[in-house]
Structure formats: structure tokens, C-alpha cells
Amino acid sequence: MASKYDDDDVDAYAGSKYSDDGGGESKFGGGCSGSGGCAESKGTGGTSYEVGVVLPPIVQAFAHHVMSKKYRDAVEAFFASKCARFKGVDPKAEQMLEYTQVYEAYVGVVEEQLEGFCAGHHVSSEDLFLEVQDVMRAGNLDDEFLPAVLRVAEYSYFMEQMVLTADHKTHIQDALRRQEVASNGLTGVWRVDKKRTKFDDLDQYLAAIRVPAVFRGLAKGTFFSNKEVVVLLDDQGTTFKVVANSPFGMQCSEFQCDDRVHEVANPWGAEVPVRAALKEASASAVSSVVVEHCRPAHLPKGSAVYHTWSRVDGGLRCTMEVREPERSAVAFDLFYGPMAAKDFEPKTKGQQPSSSKRGKDGGGGAAEAKGEPTASSSITPGAK
């Protein structure tokens, strides 16, 4: 049967219910035909990005399902309603019994949301997560998009989301307060500027970081989000933090800007080498930060991925660049516009959504679309 969650690149299931139809190759190797999905595209200079990453159809459908509005609304409502006790907690610190009890309740929400999915695909939740774990252990996928999608049932993901949800209002308040006095130009709260960003270049970048073709539609949706990104560069220029509120959950990345390699947890939860450096402000430009992901495990030896954050014409730009040996670099510029405290004020009933059309094209949730207060509503710089 065909999955209603498959995108246009995925055919109906063939063979067994978990068949990837990979032409007789192993689950994560072989060609791109049939219901398996692989990352294949052309880089600059005619370079091919065919990497042979074939995924089981059930995992493809699962990833689509956990990005659906119905699923995200349910889990985000749970995070918002239960997060108070997690405020200021270190997600890696020794866990308390009450956290485990909340996690068990969270698993119940996830299982409830997956009941219909599992029934429709004739698979038990246990078999489903075994398939997902196989994909995660393979280590052949990108480090930017799929981790948060596939980790939804893990305790570490649960703790990250609870703490980040509890602390999110504080992060926004801090950034709004500091952007009024910061001289670096990067600190603030930002939202994707869809008019300035050339999304036609995105396919090439997603292929270069090895996002499987069948997931690029989902990955693109994360770049179209109206959700905010908090950027914090301290006054000394030593610590750079990015808190992204994406459609598949919150992520927090913190880097030391000393131009030295540090082991930093990636979205999979693994420690990976990262180097960050501050480019000092000049007479004609404010500071910029370059974050180098030194040895991406899913890319060929000698590759690196660079994210350069800089101010441009009243906005913020993140240039994402993939460099591989003997291949032309592939880059994508994502532009952001500034947000202000008024953007987080609760909407009154009957009030029309802002011009950004929140809740309609990927940003916000059900509460935001209906004009109801959200977890980050009523935010004023300096308020507690």
C-alpha cells in the first residue's frame, strides 16, 4: 500500500512491508529506485552528489508523520504545559525521579500520536523504533536535519525540549535586552526573511550535506518557518549561542570563539569537532562569527561545513557552505529580519495575524494561529 505520508519521490511499498527495493543491496546502500530514498543531486561544476543512502519506506513515512502539524501541536502543547519544573535545569545533570515520570507521560503522548500511523502501516511501535534506530546507527545521514526528527522518543531529546521550552522566554528577553546595547550587531531575535532568501539554491545545499531526496521537501519547510531564532554573542566575543525554534523542536548550539577545536554535541547527541572564530568589526562592518564543523562523519574525509553569521543591510545572514576535496564548494545564504518585543505580545481574539501569516505557512502552532497566547507570549526586555 502507498503511504499517505510519502512525498512525490516515493513509490508504493514493494515486496515486504519494510522493503526498500534497493535492487538487492543492503538497506543503506545500492541504488535510488523504488521506495527507498537516496541523496542524489548535481553540485557546481557538474559534480554529482550521489551517495547511495537508501532508507526503509517506514522510516520515510515516520519522518513525515512527526513533522505533521497534528503531531507537532500535540507534543509542543505537552512541553509547554509541563516545562515549568525544568527551568534552568542542566539537561545532562543527574536526573530526578520526577523528570522520569514526566518522560513516561511524554512517551504516552508520542505513542498516542503514533497509534493511527502504526495501524495504517501495519507495524508495531516496537518494530517501528527498531527500524529508526537502525537508520540512526548507520551514521550515513546529515547532521543538520534528520537527527531531531528521528530522536523524538529518546529521553535526551525529551530533556532538551523541556529545558529549552522552559528557558525560551528568558532567552528571548535576554536577546531583546542585549540587542539594544550590543555593538556586535549579531545579538538579537530574528526570523527568516523569505523575500531576500533565494530558496532556489537550497536544493543544491541539501544534496551536498546528504539530506536524502525524499526528505528535502520536509527540510525546506524548516527554512520557511516563521519561528524565531535567538542569537547571543557575549560582549567579550568569546561565546556564541544560537537557539533555534524550528518546526521539529528547539535546538541550542553554543560555541567558544577562540579559533580552537572543541568537542561539541551535535544534533545526534554525539561529540564532534567544531571550531568557531570571531571576525572583529572594522570601520565598515560589524563582527561576524564563523563556525566550522571540522570533520562531518557523513561527508568524505577532508570535508568541512561552515556557517558564517554576519550583519547585512539591517538584517542577519547565515552563509552555509559545504567544502569537499576535489569538488566545488556549495553555499546557501539564509537571511533573517529582526524581531521586537511587540512580535511576542499575545493576540486578542478577532485580531488578524501579522503580515508574516503566522500559523499558515509553517510558523507558530494552533494556539498562535488562533490568536491565543503561546509559551513565549508577553515578552518584554528585562521582564521576568
Side-chain angles (χ1 to χ4, degrees), residues 91-128:
K92 296 182 180 179
E94 183 178 356
Q95 305 304 323
M96 300 172 61
L97 177 60
E98 62 176 318
Y99 300 162
T100 304
Q101 292 172 337
V102 179
Y103 171 66
E104 291 172 351
Y106 166 70
V107 171
V109 173
V110 172
E111 290 179 343
E112 181 180 355
Q113 291 301 311
L114 289 177
E115 282 181 1
F117 173 84
C118 290
H121 290 273
H122 309 291
V123 59
S124 69
S125 59
E126 291 81 5
D127 285 345
L128 170 62

mmCIF file of all heavy atoms in Angstrom, residues 91-128:
data_model
loop_
_atom_site.group_PDB
_atom_site.id
_atom_site.type_symbol
_atom_site.label_atom_id
_atom_site.label_comp_id
_atom_site.label_asym_id
_atom_site.label_seq_id
_atom_site.Cartn_x
_atom_site.Cartn_y
_atom_site.Cartn_z
ATOM 1 N N PRO A 91 20.293 19.762 31.263
ATOM 2 C CA PRO A 91 19.724 18.516 30.741
ATOM 3 C C PRO A 91 20.654 17.321 30.869
ATOM 4 O O PRO A 91 20.209 16.173 30.781
ATOM 5 C CB PRO A 91 19.445 18.848 29.265
ATOM 6 C CG PRO A 91 20.301 20.024 28.956
ATOM 7 C CD PRO A 91 20.433 20.797 30.226
ATOM 8 N N LYS A 92 21.948 17.563 31.111
ATOM 9 C CA LYS A 92 22.894 16.459 31.246
ATOM 10 C C LYS A 92 23.204 16.127 32.706
ATOM 11 O O LYS A 92 23.989 15.218 32.990
ATOM 12 C CB LYS A 92 24.196 16.797 30.512
ATOM 13 C CG LYS A 92 24.024 16.955 29.007
ATOM 14 C CD LYS A 92 25.345 17.236 28.334
ATOM 15 C CE LYS A 92 25.169 17.387 26.829
ATOM 16 N NZ LYS A 92 26.458 17.676 26.156
ATOM 17 N N ALA A 93 22.622 16.884 33.628
ATOM 18 C CA ALA A 93 22.887 16.644 35.046
ATOM 19 C C ALA A 93 22.161 15.385 35.509
ATOM 20 O O ALA A 93 21.353 14.805 34.782
ATOM 21 C CB ALA A 93 22.441 17.844 35.874
ATOM 22 N N GLU A 94 22.455 14.974 36.752
ATOM 23 C CA GLU A 94 21.798 13.801 37.314
ATOM 24 C C GLU A 94 20.289 13.991 37.320
ATOM 25 O O GLU A 94 19.773 15.030 37.731
ATOM 26 C CB GLU A 94 22.297 13.560 38.739
ATOM 27 C CG GLU A 94 21.715 12.318 39.390
ATOM 28 C CD GLU A 94 22.262 12.085 40.790
ATOM 29 O OE1 GLU A 94 23.152 12.851 41.209
ATOM 30 O OE2 GLU A 94 21.783 11.154 41.451
ATOM 31 N N GLN A 95 19.588 12.981 36.841
ATOM 32 C CA GLN A 95 18.151 13.118 36.664
ATOM 33 C C GLN A 95 17.395 12.784 37.948
ATOM 34 O O GLN A 95 17.810 11.951 38.740
ATOM 35 C CB GLN A 95 17.683 12.208 35.527
ATOM 36 C CG GLN A 95 18.424 12.433 34.227
ATOM 37 C CD GLN A 95 18.364 13.873 33.749
ATOM 38 O OE1 GLN A 95 17.342 14.537 33.896
ATOM 39 N NE2 GLN A 95 19.455 14.369 33.191
ATOM 40 N N MET A 96 16.268 13.454 38.106
ATOM 41 C CA MET A 96 15.416 13.231 39.265
ATOM 42 C C MET A 96 14.243 12.335 38.874
ATOM 43 O O MET A 96 13.860 12.267 37.700
ATOM 44 C CB MET A 96 14.910 14.568 39.803
ATOM 45 C CG MET A 96 16.020 15.513 40.247
ATOM 46 S SD MET A 96 15.392 17.159 40.667
ATOM 47 C CE MET A 96 14.286 16.770 42.028
ATOM 48 N N LEU A 97 13.671 11.673 39.859
ATOM 49 C CA LEU A 97 12.552 10.764 39.610
ATOM 50 C C LEU A 97 11.394 11.490 38.941
ATOM 51 O O LEU A 97 10.745 10.945 38.048
ATOM 52 C CB LEU A 97 12.093 10.134 40.924
ATOM 53 C CG LEU A 97 10.864 9.214 40.833
ATOM 54 C CD1 LEU A 97 11.141 8.047 39.890
ATOM 55 C CD2 LEU A 97 10.478 8.709 42.220
ATOM 56 N N GLU A 98 11.146 12.730 39.357
ATOM 57 C CA GLU A 98 10.011 13.449 38.782
ATOM 58 C C GLU A 98 10.205 13.704 37.287
ATOM 59 O O GLU A 98 9.238 13.770 36.533
ATOM 60 C CB GLU A 98 9.774 14.775 39.515
ATOM 61 C CG GLU A 98 10.917 15.764 39.433
ATOM 62 C CD GLU A 98 10.570 17.085 40.112
ATOM 63 O OE1 GLU A 98 9.436 17.549 39.924
ATOM 64 O OE2 GLU A 98 11.427 17.624 40.814
ATOM 65 N N TYR A 99 11.477 13.840 36.834
ATOM 66 C CA TYR A 99 11.724 14.014 35.409
ATOM 67 C C TYR A 99 11.368 12.734 34.650
ATOM 68 O O TYR A 99 10.772 12.786 33.562
ATOM 69 C CB TYR A 99 13.196 14.351 35.144
ATOM 70 C CG TYR A 99 13.695 15.626 35.800
ATOM 71 C CD1 TYR A 99 15.054 15.851 35.959
ATOM 72 C CD2 TYR A 99 12.805 16.590 36.255
ATOM 73 C CE1 TYR A 99 15.529 17.015 36.559
ATOM 74 C CE2 TYR A 99 13.260 17.748 36.860
ATOM 75 C CZ TYR A 99 14.627 17.957 37.010
ATOM 76 O OH TYR A 99 15.089 19.107 37.604
ATOM 77 N N THR A 100 11.723 11.597 35.237
ATOM 78 C CA THR A 100 11.409 10.315 34.608
ATOM 79 C C THR A 100 9.902 10.124 34.504
ATOM 80 O O THR A 100 9.398 9.608 33.500
ATOM 81 C CB THR A 100 12.021 9.163 35.411
ATOM 82 O OG1 THR A 100 13.425 9.368 35.535
ATOM 83 C CG2 THR A 100 11.773 7.830 34.727
ATOM 84 N N GLN A 101 9.180 10.565 35.516
ATOM 85 C CA GLN A 101 7.724 10.431 35.494
ATOM 86 C C GLN A 101 7.113 11.294 34.389
ATOM 87 O O GLN A 101 6.185 10.870 33.696
ATOM 88 C CB GLN A 101 7.155 10.816 36.862
ATOM 89 C CG GLN A 101 7.529 9.839 37.968
ATOM 90 C CD GLN A 101 7.131 10.333 39.351
ATOM 91 O OE1 GLN A 101 6.965 11.536 39.579
ATOM 92 N NE2 GLN A 101 6.979 9.404 40.294
ATOM 93 N N VAL A 102 7.654 12.498 34.207
ATOM 94 C CA VAL A 102 7.161 13.354 33.129
ATOM 95 C C VAL A 102 7.513 12.736 31.776
ATOM 96 O O VAL A 102 6.729 12.792 30.830
ATOM 97 C CB VAL A 102 7.755 14.781 33.248
ATOM 98 C CG1 VAL A 102 7.246 15.661 32.099
ATOM 99 C CG2 VAL A 102 7.371 15.406 34.578
ATOM 100 N N TYR A 103 8.707 12.143 31.686
ATOM 101 C CA TYR A 103 9.116 11.494 30.441
ATOM 102 C C TYR A 103 8.158 10.360 30.082
ATOM 103 O O TYR A 103 7.774 10.203 28.912
ATOM 104 C CB TYR A 103 10.535 10.951 30.567
ATOM 105 C CG TYR A 103 10.957 10.080 29.404
ATOM 106 C CD1 TYR A 103 11.095 10.615 28.127
ATOM 107 C CD2 TYR A 103 11.204 8.719 29.588
ATOM 108 C CE1 TYR A 103 11.482 9.817 27.056
ATOM 109 C CE2 TYR A 103 11.589 7.917 28.523
ATOM 110 C CZ TYR A 103 11.729 8.473 27.262
ATOM 111 O OH TYR A 103 12.102 7.680 26.201
ATOM 112 N N GLU A 104 7.758 9.579 31.075
ATOM 113 C CA GLU A 104 6.821 8.480 30.815
ATOM 114 C C GLU A 104 5.493 9.014 30.286
ATOM 115 O O GLU A 104 4.875 8.413 29.402
ATOM 116 C CB GLU A 104 6.616 7.668 32.089
ATOM 117 C CG GLU A 104 7.855 6.874 32.507
ATOM 118 C CD GLU A 104 7.710 6.216 33.862
ATOM 119 O OE1 GLU A 104 6.699 6.516 34.554
ATOM 120 O OE2 GLU A 104 8.582 5.409 34.233
ATOM 121 N N ALA A 105 5.064 10.161 30.819
ATOM 122 C CA ALA A 105 3.840 10.788 30.310
ATOM 123 C C ALA A 105 4.039 11.267 28.872
ATOM 124 O O ALA A 105 3.135 11.163 28.032
ATOM 125 C CB ALA A 105 3.439 11.949 31.214
ATOM 126 N N TYR A 106 5.236 11.787 28.584
ATOM 127 C CA TYR A 106 5.559 12.231 27.219
ATOM 128 C C TYR A 106 5.527 11.060 26.243
ATOM 129 O O TYR A 106 4.967 11.169 25.142
ATOM 130 C CB TYR A 106 6.925 12.901 27.206
ATOM 131 C CG TYR A 106 7.503 13.102 25.823
ATOM 132 C CD1 TYR A 106 6.956 14.039 24.948
ATOM 133 C CD2 TYR A 106 8.596 12.341 25.384
ATOM 134 C CE1 TYR A 106 7.479 14.218 23.669
ATOM 135 C CE2 TYR A 106 9.116 12.520 24.119
ATOM 136 C CZ TYR A 106 8.559 13.456 23.267
ATOM 137 O OH TYR A 106 9.080 13.630 21.997
ATOM 138 N N VAL A 107 6.116 9.934 26.654
ATOM 139 C CA VAL A 107 6.090 8.745 25.802
ATOM 140 C C VAL A 107 4.645 8.338 25.511
ATOM 141 O O VAL A 107 4.319 7.915 24.400
ATOM 142 C CB VAL A 107 6.856 7.588 26.466
ATOM 143 C CG1 VAL A 107 6.652 6.286 25.693
ATOM 144 C CG2 VAL A 107 8.348 7.912 26.533
ATOM 145 N N GLY A 108 3.779 8.497 26.494
ATOM 146 C CA GLY A 108 2.368 8.196 26.284
ATOM 147 C C GLY A 108 1.754 9.072 25.202
ATOM 148 O O GLY A 108 0.961 8.602 24.378
ATOM 149 N N VAL A 109 2.132 10.369 25.175
ATOM 150 C CA VAL A 109 1.642 11.280 24.135
ATOM 151 C C VAL A 109 2.159 10.849 22.773
ATOM 152 O O VAL A 109 1.416 10.823 21.777
ATOM 153 C CB VAL A 109 2.074 12.726 24.447
ATOM 154 C CG1 VAL A 109 1.725 13.656 23.281
ATOM 155 C CG2 VAL A 109 1.414 13.221 25.726
ATOM 156 N N VAL A 110 3.451 10.509 22.696
ATOM 157 C CA VAL A 110 4.042 10.067 21.434
ATOM 158 C C VAL A 110 3.347 8.803 20.934
ATOM 159 O O VAL A 110 2.985 8.705 19.748
ATOM 160 C CB VAL A 110 5.554 9.812 21.602
ATOM 161 C CG1 VAL A 110 6.137 9.169 20.337
ATOM 162 C CG2 VAL A 110 6.290 11.111 21.908
ATOM 163 N N GLU A 111 3.151 7.841 21.840
ATOM 164 C CA GLU A 111 2.507 6.590 21.435
ATOM 165 C C GLU A 111 1.077 6.822 20.963
ATOM 166 O O GLU A 111 0.613 6.193 20.002
ATOM 167 C CB GLU A 111 2.534 5.597 22.599
ATOM 168 C CG GLU A 111 3.933 5.081 22.906
ATOM 169 C CD GLU A 111 3.950 4.123 24.080
ATOM 170 O OE1 GLU A 111 2.948 4.109 24.841
ATOM 171 O OE2 GLU A 111 4.944 3.401 24.242
ATOM 172 N N GLU A 112 0.380 7.734 21.636
ATOM 173 C CA GLU A 112 -0.987 8.056 21.211
ATOM 174 C C GLU A 112 -1.005 8.637 19.809
ATOM 175 O O GLU A 112 -1.871 8.306 18.985
ATOM 176 C CB GLU A 112 -1.609 9.042 22.197
ATOM 177 C CG GLU A 112 -3.041 9.420 21.863
ATOM 178 C CD GLU A 112 -3.626 10.405 22.858
ATOM 179 O OE1 GLU A 112 -2.950 10.727 23.866
ATOM 180 O OE2 GLU A 112 -4.762 10.865 22.622
ATOM 181 N N GLN A 113 -0.023 9.508 19.528
ATOM 182 C CA GLN A 113 0.048 10.127 18.206
ATOM 183 C C GLN A 113 0.462 9.123 17.127
ATOM 184 O O GLN A 113 0.209 9.341 15.944
ATOM 185 C CB GLN A 113 1.028 11.294 18.230
ATOM 186 C CG GLN A 113 0.563 12.481 19.048
ATOM 187 C CD GLN A 113 -0.753 13.041 18.545
ATOM 188 O OE1 GLN A 113 -0.922 13.286 17.353
ATOM 189 N NE2 GLN A 113 -1.701 13.233 19.448
ATOM 190 N N LEU A 114 1.114 8.043 17.549
ATOM 191 C CA LEU A 114 1.592 7.056 16.576
ATOM 192 C C LEU A 114 0.627 5.888 16.382
ATOM 193 O O LEU A 114 0.844 5.052 15.502
ATOM 194 C CB LEU A 114 2.950 6.509 17.013
ATOM 195 C CG LEU A 114 4.134 7.475 16.894
ATOM 196 C CD1 LEU A 114 5.398 6.814 17.428
ATOM 197 C CD2 LEU A 114 4.335 7.916 15.454
ATOM 198 N N GLU A 115 -0.418 5.824 17.197
ATOM 199 C CA GLU A 115 -1.350 4.700 17.095
ATOM 200 C C GLU A 115 -1.930 4.569 15.699
ATOM 201 O O GLU A 115 -1.906 3.498 15.082
ATOM 202 C CB GLU A 115 -2.470 4.853 18.126
ATOM 203 C CG GLU A 115 -2.062 4.474 19.541
ATOM 204 C CD GLU A 115 -3.206 4.623 20.528
ATOM 205 O OE1 GLU A 115 -4.322 4.999 20.088
ATOM 206 O OE2 GLU A 115 -3.003 4.366 21.728
ATOM 207 N N GLY A 116 -2.471 5.660 15.205
ATOM 208 C CA GLY A 116 -3.072 5.620 13.873
ATOM 209 C C GLY A 116 -2.039 5.363 12.792
ATOM 210 O O GLY A 116 -2.297 4.628 11.827
ATOM 211 N N PHE A 117 -0.866 5.946 12.962
ATOM 212 C CA PHE A 117 0.204 5.752 11.983
ATOM 213 C C PHE A 117 0.605 4.283 11.906
ATOM 214 O O PHE A 117 0.706 3.704 10.828
ATOM 215 C CB PHE A 117 1.413 6.609 12.367
ATOM 216 C CG PHE A 117 2.641 6.354 11.527
ATOM 217 C CD1 PHE A 117 2.807 6.983 10.310
ATOM 218 C CD2 PHE A 117 3.608 5.464 11.962
ATOM 219 C CE1 PHE A 117 3.931 6.730 9.529
ATOM 220 C CE2 PHE A 117 4.730 5.208 11.199
ATOM 221 C CZ PHE A 117 4.888 5.846 9.973
ATOM 222 N N CYS A 118 0.835 3.663 13.065
ATOM 223 C CA CYS A 118 1.260 2.262 13.093
ATOM 224 C C CYS A 118 0.176 1.345 12.535
ATOM 225 O O CYS A 118 0.478 0.391 11.793
ATOM 226 C CB CYS A 118 1.628 1.850 14.517
ATOM 227 S SG CYS A 118 3.143 2.619 15.140
ATOM 228 N N ALA A 119 -1.069 1.634 12.867
ATOM 229 C CA ALA A 119 -2.163 0.809 12.348
ATOM 230 C C ALA A 119 -2.240 0.924 10.829
ATOM 231 O O ALA A 119 -2.428 -0.078 10.124
ATOM 232 C CB ALA A 119 -3.485 1.241 12.981
ATOM 233 N N GLY A 120 -2.082 2.137 10.315
ATOM 234 C CA GLY A 120 -2.162 2.341 8.877
ATOM 235 C C GLY A 120 -1.028 1.699 8.109
ATOM 236 O O GLY A 120 -1.178 1.362 6.929
ATOM 237 N N HIS A 121 0.100 1.519 8.792
ATOM 238 C CA HIS A 121 1.271 0.935 8.127
ATOM 239 C C HIS A 121 1.533 -0.512 8.570
ATOM 240 O O HIS A 121 2.570 -1.082 8.207
ATOM 241 C CB HIS A 121 2.507 1.795 8.397
ATOM 242 C CG HIS A 121 2.467 3.116 7.700
ATOM 243 N ND1 HIS A 121 2.921 3.300 6.412
ATOM 244 C CD2 HIS A 121 2.000 4.326 8.105
ATOM 245 C CE1 HIS A 121 2.744 4.562 6.052
ATOM 246 N NE2 HIS A 121 2.185 5.200 7.065
ATOM 247 N N HIS A 122 0.610 -1.059 9.365
ATOM 248 C CA HIS A 122 0.694 -2.460 9.774
ATOM 249 C C HIS A 122 2.027 -2.777 10.440
ATOM 250 O O HIS A 122 2.720 -3.742 10.082
ATOM 251 C CB HIS A 122 0.472 -3.386 8.575
ATOM 252 C CG HIS A 122 -0.768 -3.073 7.785
ATOM 253 N ND1 HIS A 122 -2.048 -3.267 8.276
ATOM 254 C CD2 HIS A 122 -0.920 -2.524 6.543
ATOM 255 C CE1 HIS A 122 -2.932 -2.882 7.369
ATOM 256 N NE2 HIS A 122 -2.270 -2.425 6.321
ATOM 257 N N VAL A 123 2.400 -1.957 11.398
ATOM 258 C CA VAL A 123 3.663 -2.137 12.104
ATOM 259 C C VAL A 123 3.450 -1.811 13.576
ATOM 260 O O VAL A 123 2.656 -0.918 13.910
ATOM 261 C CB VAL A 123 4.766 -1.231 11.499
ATOM 262 C CG1 VAL A 123 4.376 0.227 11.570
ATOM 263 C CG2 VAL A 123 6.111 -1.454 12.187
ATOM 264 N N SER A 124 4.101 -2.532 14.450
ATOM 265 C CA SER A 124 4.026 -2.213 15.871
ATOM 266 C C SER A 124 4.974 -1.058 16.173
ATOM 267 O O SER A 124 5.930 -0.808 15.435
ATOM 268 C CB SER A 124 4.423 -3.424 16.708
ATOM 269 O OG SER A 124 5.802 -3.713 16.561
ATOM 270 N N SER A 125 4.723 -0.360 17.271
ATOM 271 C CA SER A 125 5.592 0.743 17.642
ATOM 272 C C SER A 125 7.006 0.234 17.936
ATOM 273 O O SER A 125 7.998 0.922 17.648
ATOM 274 C CB SER A 125 5.033 1.496 18.856
ATOM 275 O OG SER A 125 4.887 0.629 19.976
ATOM 276 N N GLU A 126 7.114 -0.995 18.503
ATOM 277 C CA GLU A 126 8.436 -1.558 18.800
ATOM 278 C C GLU A 126 9.226 -1.785 17.514
ATOM 279 O O GLU A 126 10.408 -1.407 17.419
ATOM 280 C CB GLU A 126 8.289 -2.887 19.549
ATOM 281 C CG GLU A 126 7.749 -2.749 20.964
ATOM 282 C CD GLU A 126 6.227 -2.617 20.992
ATOM 283 O OE1 GLU A 126 5.580 -2.724 19.922
ATOM 284 O OE2 GLU A 126 5.688 -2.393 22.093
ATOM 285 N N ASP A 127 8.596 -2.380 16.485
ATOM 286 C CA ASP A 127 9.284 -2.615 15.220
ATOM 287 C C ASP A 127 9.626 -1.302 14.530
ATOM 288 O O ASP A 127 10.683 -1.173 13.898
ATOM 289 C CB ASP A 127 8.408 -3.462 14.291
ATOM 290 C CG ASP A 127 8.362 -4.927 14.710
ATOM 291 O OD1 ASP A 127 9.220 -5.324 15.529
ATOM 292 O OD2 ASP A 127 7.475 -5.650 14.234
ATOM 293 N N LEU A 128 8.732 -0.331 14.646
ATOM 294 C CA LEU A 128 8.983 0.968 14.032
ATOM 295 C C LEU A 128 10.253 1.597 14.586
ATOM 296 O O LEU A 128 11.128 2.047 13.839
ATOM 297 C CB LEU A 128 7.783 1.888 14.274
ATOM 298 C CG LEU A 128 7.975 3.364 13.893
ATOM 299 C CD1 LEU A 128 8.240 3.504 12.393
ATOM 300 C CD2 LEU A 128 6.756 4.187 14.298
#
